[in-house]
Amino acid sequence: MKKKAAQNQARLWKANQFRDLDLLKASFTTHRYNRHIHKKYVMGVIETGVERFFHRGKEHFAPPKHLIVINPGEVHDGSSATEQGFIYRVAYVHPDLVKKIAEAWGKKPGAYPFFRQAVTKDPQLAEKFFKAHVLLERETQSKLAAQTCFIEVVAEIINRYAVFTEAASFKQPQNPGLIKKALEQIRDQARENLSLDDLARQAGLSKYHFLRLFKESTGLPPHAYQVQQRVELAKGFIEKGHDLSQSAYKAGFSDQAHMTRQFRAILGVTPGSFRRSLFS
């Protein structure tokens, strides 16, 4: 798997072997992700170099022969731990797909796997994940082989490292009664020019108290959470075939350049690169 990291090159695409599976292959030297969340499980493996990332209040380091698994809704970022950069492959796996695989392998029906460790040394399983990811990338080859290999490696990750929770949302707000309505308002009105006053009013709090509770509950300040929602909106519009300027406008960005900066800071690729991966 060993290669030399190139200067900030990445490809994000949708796997054609599964309904809702996004794949990333990237080589980063200076790129830094903003702190963000995903609605899906993040499963990855380092080919070469070392990634440094913040997760659950502390820094983690992921070298080769280690698995990275981050649960849905958990705040994290990412960058190279060295000047030499790192190369990695990631799958963003929908929670329902992970749950179905877990159930098929005899785990508790209706429960979602929860992974306690973000980085785990497991050379054998890391190699299996890498091979499954490569098979998914080779879209003109056997779909049966790619699907089989990926499902089996996810099942093995679950069997070795998961515990189970009834919660459908893994990052539960510490003050759900106070924060839930504000989260819904940001999601529903992501493209609007919301203020702290608007959100605090929903929670029945002062804007100062609301800001503190929101960040404690979600791991992100309200503006970062709104930007995250706008990026997800823009990604969805691009997937539906809208051009980049339309996607930026519909998602609430001030212009296409602003969308590009935020899109890359959260997803690792530019909107244009993502669009080309879908329609080229």
Side-chain angles (χ1 to χ4, degrees), residues 259-270:
M259 176 184 73
T260 297
R261 288 193 300 273
Q262 299 297 341
F263 199 99
R264 189 167 185 267
I266 290 174
L267 298 179
V269 299
T270 64

Side-chain angles (χ1 to χ4, degrees), residues 26-37:
S27 173
F28 292 138
T29 52
T30 60
H31 176 70
R32 292 178 177 270
Y33 287 100
N34 287 348
R35 289 188 183 181
H36 62 282
I37 59 174

Side-chain angles (χ1 to χ4, degrees), residues 61-131:
F61 294 86
K65 301 181 181 180
H66 288 62
L67 286 168
I68 302 168
V69 183
I70 297 174
N71 298 296
E74 293 185 335
V75 175
H76 60 284
D77 56 15
S79 63
S80 177
T82 69
E83 292 181 357
Q84 288 71 40
F86 70 102
I87 300 173
Y88 76 149
R89 287 175 177 263
V90 177
Y92 301 98
V93 194
H94 195 284
D96 288 342
L97 174 57
V98 177
K99 184 180 71 170
K100 287 175 183 177
I101 294 171
E103 290 173 344
W105 261 256
K107 302 300 181 183
K108 187 176 181 179
Y112 289 83
F114 180 83
F115 296 91
R116 289 176 174 165
Q117 286 188 214
V119 181
T120 304
K121 185 175 182 179
D122 192 328
Q124 180 190 37
L125 203 47
E127 183 67 26
K128 286 183 179 180
F129 182 90
F130 172 80
K131 289 180 178 178

Side-chain angles (χ1 to χ4, degrees), residues 102 105-107 115 152-162 164:
W105 261 256
K107 302 300 181 183
F115 296 91
E152 287 182 342
V153 76
V154 172
E156 198 165 347
I157 292 170
I158 292 168
N159 285 333
R160 292 191 189 186
Y161 301 115
F164 286 81

Side-chain angles (χ1 to χ4, degrees), residues 160-192:
R160 292 191 189 186
Y161 301 115
V163 295
F164 286 81
T165 174
E166 296 291 345
S169 176
F170 298 89
K171 180 62 178 175
Q172 294 289 345
Q174 297 171 16
N175 301 276
L178 299 176
I179 300 301
K180 185 177 179 181
K181 286 186 178 180
L183 290 171
E184 290 173 353
Q185 184 177 5
I186 294 173
R187 288 193 291 266
D188 293 343
Q189 302 177 35
R191 66 186 311 276
E192 304 299 327

